[in-house]
Amino acid sequence: MPPSLRNLPALFVAVMFAVSVAVTPARSSIILSELCDPQSNYTTDRFIEIYNTGPDAVNLTGWSVVAVANGVDGTSWTLSGSIAPGQARVLGYTTPVTAFTVNFPNAAWNAITSSGGAYNWNGKIGDGAKLKNASGTVIDLVVATGDLFVDKDYVRNPTITSPNSVYTPSEWTATAVALATNASPGSHNGSQVTASGPRISNLVTDPATPAAGAGVAVQASVVDTSGAIASVALSWGTTSSSLPNAIAMALLSDSTYRTTALIPAQSAGATVYYQVQAVGASATGTSSILSYTLAGGGGGAPTILAVGEMSDSTLLVQFSEPVEQTSAETPANYTVGALSGVAAVRDPVQTAQVLVTVRGIPAGARTLTVNGVADLSASVAYGATCGFNYVDVSVPAGYYAGTAGLRGSALRVALHNLIKNHTAMSYAYALTAFATTDVKPNGKIWDMYSDVPAGTPPYEYAVGGTGQGGSEGLGYNREHSWPQSWFNGVSPTYSDLWVLYPTDSYVNGYRSNYPYGEAGTATYTSLNGSRLGPSVSAGYSGTVFEPIDAFKGDLARSTFYVSTRYFNEDAGWSSSGSASRAELLRWAVDQYSAWNTDDPVSWKERLRNGAIYAIQNNRNPFVDHPEFVAMIYDSNSVAGVGDGASASAIRLRQNLPNPFGARTSIGFDLARREPVTLRIYDVTGRLVRTLADGSVLESGSHRREWDGRDERGAQLGAGLYFCRLVAGPVSETRRMVLAR
């Protein structure tokens, strides 16, 4: 707008435009101020921001903003109301995962389709936005000419106060961000963020430590700077996915609200989930879902908190309180359907835990029933039940047929043909799948970015505890271990469960799309010791994310899976620091091969492999056969292993790891279909455990786990043990060292 007109009233200027076409059109003070494509939750949390540089308020009726994706107009927002000088307005999805105010929401912004705006709008060439005034004229424009704001926040420089219908890169600055809230939605270069409705904080229970058999009140602080609060209510339930029960909350004093009735008393071991919602003058605020678990003792009979599968016949039963030894170690007190326990041992330290052996459990959703187990106060559990998912970890007979003797690319192609065309589920379904693919024995989500094996993790998530925040421990999300920017978010890779893992959202944001590797001086360290920093992996000097040692093999084998599953199906994929499309670079092969050796396949991985197989109908070959890594990538490898060993011999492989502490894996190969026994002996020759009891097994490769316990489930002492395999007339023996 010319200087002589800039201070004239808006109505007078509008009249001038209507009666005289000779006057130069005024330039609006509204600009596109920010475009954000965060690394995490990009389909829900991307946003576009507009800003009024002043000096007057502007009526936005008839105005619009259009997201440009791949050079084509996509999602659009119709604007309304007025925008004051110095005020910013945000356009985005209806319910972003990371909490921030969206003034103009549009559900189409989260459309996961080949033509959906959010799907294609990723900060690359041809992506951007248009600002149109009430007459439909594009007055401000930004369209990427390259990888402009991928995983970044693109902000208009403070000196820019007028729109520009010609994109000018020098007017903008890009900064990498993990979360949308790492950017500045609703605030442009320090302007005041528009009030976002009620803010809920300081949620506490009364009593602070709820007890079994007693009701619980909840208090919260609720503040709304934009106006009066209309109502506050609490929703609660016994699962995080359903909070069907409502209790009104009344003002207690100042800004503190308290439930008008108690959450009803629950039994020991129960977990209650709750959430507070406040309706304000202009918006509704909702807290995150919180929970409390009621400790056992003095509140009735023990209940079952979780059931974990610890081997192909052993279950870890977690009670709500310590249990009495004699009743806890009575096998007949435990049943799974028609199957009864054959052994039971209470943990000598964690006396609320019992290892129960039940043989022949079929795969699928099962229920453990307990009758006759007492707590230390002689309260006896009758009819206590707990559902769990039992996974068949065995490799289906003949699954790797045709791979015997193959090496190098021939083996890789053969494996690709075995695991391609898997049953692809939706990306949303991954959150459901995690309840069976990534659950610890205690029923919590198995997050490799926060877990501390054999130690105490800094926090744990209940199934369904998704969320986002500015620190660790506020929620988990779906981590693409092979980052989606490397394969451009295409399906079926996007939802492949061997690509996806549940991980803490905050740590996931730091991992971003950096390759896995060994980090030098860390620039960030998570609470469990995962590290971000410059690479010290030979052959690469960029930034890497290093998981803790206990999970390096897991992620390495997932990486080899992706490279094999999508072999020659990677057209359109991008390159990265560790791969050229689906082809791993040499440094990555060397590093991940070392991880594959140093961190052997765990029981966790075998459970995950079996659980994913039940969903996708394909397996991770490198979990079933970690030796495949060397056979494909190591030119010195000459031994072929598959569904068919040497025609004249069996082979008992050395257990891994060895020495071992909690668990070891024993692999063996059969030349033909034969009855097999696999037994463990101590140094005196005494039989301590039978892992295979003469059942007939098919030819090929097999694996059994030993947890260092005898037939009753009791822990054995440290020392030397012998594993003996007998198949037909042939036998082999290997030494194993158990270290406590």
Side-chain angles (χ1 to χ4, degrees):
M1 180 182 297
S4 60
L5 297 181
R6 185 172 296 276
N7 295 321
L8 291 177
L11 178 60
F12 179 56
V13 174
V15 172
M16 289 177 62
F17 292 163
V19 299
S20 177
V21 294
V23 178
T24 304
R27 298 188 67 189
S28 167
S29 57
I30 312 301
I31 63 171
L32 292 166
S33 53
E34 187 173 6
L35 284 71
C36 183
D37 172 50
Q39 192 274 332
S40 296
N41 306 308
Y42 77 104
T43 61
T44 58
D45 289 14
R46 296 180 177 199
F47 68 86
I48 300 171
E49 181 191 81
I50 60 172
Y51 178 69
N52 185 352
T53 63
D56 301 313
V58 175
N59 184 352
L60 295 176
T61 302
W63 288 57
S64 64
V65 171
V66 180
V68 181
N70 293 345
V72 178
D73 288 1
T75 304
S76 64
W77 293 263
T78 299
L79 309 184
S80 61
S82 64
I83 181 170
Q87 192 174 63
R89 296 292 196 189
V90 176
L91 305 88
Y93 181 53
T94 52
T95 52
V97 173
T98 308
F100 62 91
T101 298
V102 177
N103 304 103
F104 298 101
N106 189 334
W109 193 228
N110 190 27
I112 306 299
T113 66
S114 59
S115 60
Y119 183 86
N120 291 315
W121 198 83
N122 54 15
K124 294 190 175 183
I125 187 169
D127 293 351
K130 298 176 181 178
L131 173 63
K132 296 182 179 181
N133 63 15
S135 63
T137 301
V138 176
I139 63 169
D140 205 7
L141 175 70
V142 53
V143 178
T145 55
D147 285 0
L148 192 61
F149 56 97
V150 182
D151 298 339
K152 295 178 180 178
D153 187 34
Y154 203 44
V155 179
R156 207 71 171 264
N157 294 335
T159 56
I160 306 303
T161 59
S162 299
N164 189 347
S165 60
V166 178
Y167 169 55
T168 305
S170 61
E171 295 182 354
W172 297 80
T173 299
T175 305
V177 291
L179 307 175
T181 49
N182 296 144
S184 55
S187 174
H188 181 55
N189 294 315
S191 67
Q192 183 65 39
V193 179
T194 305
S196 57
R199 296 187 178 274
I200 303 169
S201 60
N202 301 325
L203 277 75
V204 296
T205 59
D206 183 12
T209 303
V216 176
V218 174
Q219 292 184 185
S221 174
V222 183
V223 176
D224 189 352
T225 58
S226 64
I229 295 171
S231 64
V232 181
L234 176 134
S235 300
W236 70 274
T238 54
T239 65
S240 60
S241 59
S242 177
L243 306 177
N245 310 296
I247 301 175
M249 300 182 72
L251 184 63
L252 186 64
S253 63
D254 192 18
S255 62
T256 301
Y257 287 75
R258 182 182 176 92
T259 49
T260 57
L262 300 179
I263 296 176
Q266 306 292 317
S267 60
T271 298
V272 174
Y273 299 87
Y274 60 95
Q275 183 179 54
V276 173
Q277 184 177 77
V279 178
S282 60
T284 297
T286 304
S287 73
S288 58
I289 296 177
L290 303 178
S291 67
Y292 58 84
T293 299
L294 301 169
T303 59
I304 311 170
L305 298 183
V307 177
E309 182 181 349
M310 304 304 290
S311 74
D312 54 7
S313 61
T314 306
L315 304 176
L316 178 64
V317 182
Q318 175 73 57
F319 286 99
S320 58
E321 56 182 309
V323 289
E324 183 270 330
Q325 185 171 8
T326 301
S327 61
E329 294 189 343
T330 301
N333 287 345
Y334 307 88
T335 58
V336 178
L339 303 173
S340 295
V342 297
V345 177
R346 189 188 69 168
D347 190 286
V349 178
Q350 303 294 332
T351 55
Q353 298 180 1
V354 181
L355 275 173
V356 180
T357 301
V358 182
R359 296 198 173 103
I361 303 175
R366 299 289 171 249
T367 300
L368 174 75
T369 301
V370 173
N371 287 293
V373 175
D375 62 15
L376 302 184
S377 300
S379 296
V380 182
Y382 288 104
T385 62
C386 185
F388 67 100
N389 186 66
Y390 190 81
V391 177
D392 182 0
V393 299
S394 63
V395 180
Y399 189 84
Y400 292 103
T403 62
L406 299 179
R407 300 187 305 276
S409 59
L411 176 57
R412 186 180 177 203
V413 170
L415 294 177
H416 166 77
N417 290 331
L418 288 176
I419 63 177
K420 68 179 182 180
N421 298 326
H422 69 268
T423 301
M425 309 300 287
S426 70
Y427 179 63
Y429 179 79
L431 293 176
T432 300
F434 290 159
T436 59
T437 61
D438 294 88
V439 175
K440 297 180 184 181
N442 66 357
K444 304 296 186 181
I445 283 291
W446 211 318
D447 168 17
M448 293 190 291
Y449 291 175
S450 67
D451 188 47
V452 180
T456 301
Y459 50 87
E460 290 184 305
Y461 292 120
V463 174
T466 56
Q468 200 87 18
S471 62
E472 288 192 50
L474 299 179
Y476 67 87
N477 60 9
R478 292 155 287 192
E479 157 77 308
H480 286 91
S481 57
W482 188 289
Q484 55 183 305
S485 62
W486 298 3
F487 59 87
N488 292 325
V490 300
S491 293
T493 320
Y494 185 68
S495 61
D496 191 332
L497 291 173
W498 273 112
V499 178
L500 292 169
Y501 286 91
T503 64
D504 178 80
S505 301
Y506 187 75
V507 183
N508 185 359
Y510 270 97
R511 190 265 161 137
S512 186
N513 60 354
Y514 297 114
Y516 293 119
E518 300 278 352
T521 301
T523 57
Y524 167 77
T525 302
S526 75
L527 295 178
N528 85 327
S530 301
R531 306 166 69 246
L532 182 74
S535 171
V536 293
S537 295
Y540 186 65
S541 59
T543 300
V544 295
F545 184 85
E546 179 181 359
I548 64 173
D549 291 347
F551 298 125
K552 287 177 176 175
D554 303 55
L555 293 168
R557 286 179 281 273
S558 285
T559 301
F560 286 123
Y561 164 90
V562 175
S563 187
T564 300
R565 163 62 183 86
Y566 298 99
F567 172 70
N568 209 32
E569 294 183 18
D570 55 358
W573 286 30
S574 301
S575 296
S576 67
S578 61
S580 175
R581 297 193 295 186
E583 295 295 322
L584 292 172
L585 302 182
R586 188 69 243 178
W587 79 265
V589 169
D590 293 341
Q591 182 63 83
Y592 304 155
S593 294
W595 287 2
N596 177 58
T597 300
D598 295 341
D599 176 29
V601 174
S602 63
W603 179 249
K604 168 191 179 298
E605 285 180 273
R606 294 189 63 200
L607 283 174
R608 194 171 200 271
N609 204 7
I612 292 177
Y613 177 65
I615 298 170
Q616 294 192 167
N617 294 308
N618 75 338
R619 303 181 67 84
N620 185 338
F622 304 100
V623 172
D624 289 332
H625 293 287
E627 68 276 11
F628 280 164
V629 172
M631 292 165 61
I632 292 175
Y633 294 101
D634 185 354
S635 60
N636 296 318
S637 175
V638 295
V641 178
D643 280 342
S646 163
S648 60
I650 63 172
R651 183 164 73 130
L652 175 62
R653 300 189 213 133
Q654 185 64 57
N655 63 301
L656 292 172
N658 190 45
F660 69 98
R663 184 180 299 277
T664 191
S665 180
I666 304 165
F668 58 94
D669 306 299
L670 304 177
R672 60 186 65 85
R673 186 174 186 268
E674 293 198 74
V676 171
T677 60
L678 185 65
R679 296 188 171 109
I680 310 297
Y681 300 86
D682 64 17
V683 290
T684 69
R686 179 174 63 95
L687 175 65
V688 296
R689 187 72 178 268
T690 298
L691 302 179
D693 59 0
S695 55
V696 176
L697 300 181
E698 299 294 330
S699 63
S701 297
H702 302 270
R703 190 176 299 275
R704 293 291 184 272
E705 298 282 326
W706 184 39
D707 56 6
R709 297 176 182 271
D710 64 14
E711 295 289 4
R712 293 186 63 253
Q715 286 187 346
L716 295 170
L720 179 65
Y721 292 85
F722 297 91
C723 177
R724 182 171 177 80
L725 172 70
V726 179
V730 184
S731 66
E732 280 193 20
T733 302
R734 285 193 180 272
R735 298 183 177 189
M736 304 186 296
V737 177
L738 173 59
R740 293 293 186 189

